[in-house]
């Protein structure tokens, strides 16, 4: 039982309860109310938070948690992704790096109030193990990209890796496995269409960068006769209800 909290309920009326009480049983919230509520329950463990905010966990809708190890590198450089990040990744991404970066990023997110996140990276099964262990929730997208990367030589291998990962984690209570095509310009039309179909068939999310960069707009305009990335995705039939686009 949490007592003496400033409870941000986030209910439809956006009610805030001063000196509020939250009662938790197992992993579910049993009751939320004012100070009187505390008298109705006996708790094995009671926490007086002295006016601190008690609120639902924040949700980070787009991250690459393992990239905490690359933090700040070349942040101020134009076309950072192609000039710095892709070369760094081809030199350094491994199961160890993914696991170590995820463990660090998970702790940082929890300390900032984030309890759920959507991630896109390689070796996503390593990220899943860290999420399982620390007790967070996550939507974890295995990357599909047309270039050779640490866990796949091409997009087809990336899709195969993602399918294995989805199969392994589809029934996990806190982890939602997903496809993560890196972006429209770093995949072929055929790959994007295939992932869209598979996502509907398996009912899993698709996490993707969309309308993110100037280079992407140029490549897609050239490929499609002047269309924007979103229009192009729509016209090839790859925009569906399972897609989460990030910029
Ligand atoms: Zn991103």
């Amino acid at each position: 039982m949490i007592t003496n909290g400033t409870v941000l309920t986030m209910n439809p009326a956006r009610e805030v309860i001063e000196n509020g009480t939250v009662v938790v049983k197992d992993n579910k919230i049993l009751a939320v109310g004012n100070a009187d509520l505390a008298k109705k329950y006996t708790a094995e463990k009671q926490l007086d938070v002295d006016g601190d905010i008690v609120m639902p966990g924040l949700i980070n809708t787009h991250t690459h948690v393992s990239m905490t190890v690359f933090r700040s590198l070349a942040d101020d450089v134009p076309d950072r992704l192609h000039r710095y990040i892709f070369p760094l990744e081809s030199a350094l991404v491994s199961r160890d790096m993914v696991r170590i970066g995820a463990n660090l990023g998970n702790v940082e997110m929890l300390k900032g109030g984030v309890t759920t996140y959507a991630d896109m990276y390689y070796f996503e099964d390593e990220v899943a193990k860290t999420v399982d262990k620390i007790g967070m929730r996550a939507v974890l997208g295995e990357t599909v990209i047309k270039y050779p990367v640490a866990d796949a030589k091409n997009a087809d291998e990336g899709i195969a890796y993602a399918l294995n990962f989805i199969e392994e984690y589809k029934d996990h209570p806190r982890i939602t496995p997903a496809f993560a095509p890196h972006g429209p310009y770093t995949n072929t039309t055929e790959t994007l269409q295939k992932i869209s179909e598979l996502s509907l068939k398996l009912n899993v999310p698709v996490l993707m960068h969309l309308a993110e960069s100037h280079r992407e707009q140029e490549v897609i305009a050239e490929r499609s006769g002047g269309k924007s990335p979103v229009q192009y995705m729509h016209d090839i039939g790859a925009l569906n209800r399972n897609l989460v686009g990030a910029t």
Side-chain angles (χ1 to χ4, degrees), residues 62-64 120 209 212 246:
H62 182 82
T63 191
H64 311 275
M120 297 170 61
H209 300 115
E212 182 192 40

Side-chain angles (χ1 to χ4, degrees), residues 120 139 141 177-182 192 195-200 203-209 233 238 240-246:
M120 297 170 61
V139 180
F179 289 103
H182 173 268
L192 296 168
I195 289 172
S196 174
E197 278 168 32
L198 284 168
S199 75
L200 292 174
N203 196 26
V204 292
V206 177
L207 310 179
M208 185 169 87
H209 300 115
M233 284 289 289
N240 68 40
R241 65 177 186 272
N242 291 354
L243 181 79
V244 182

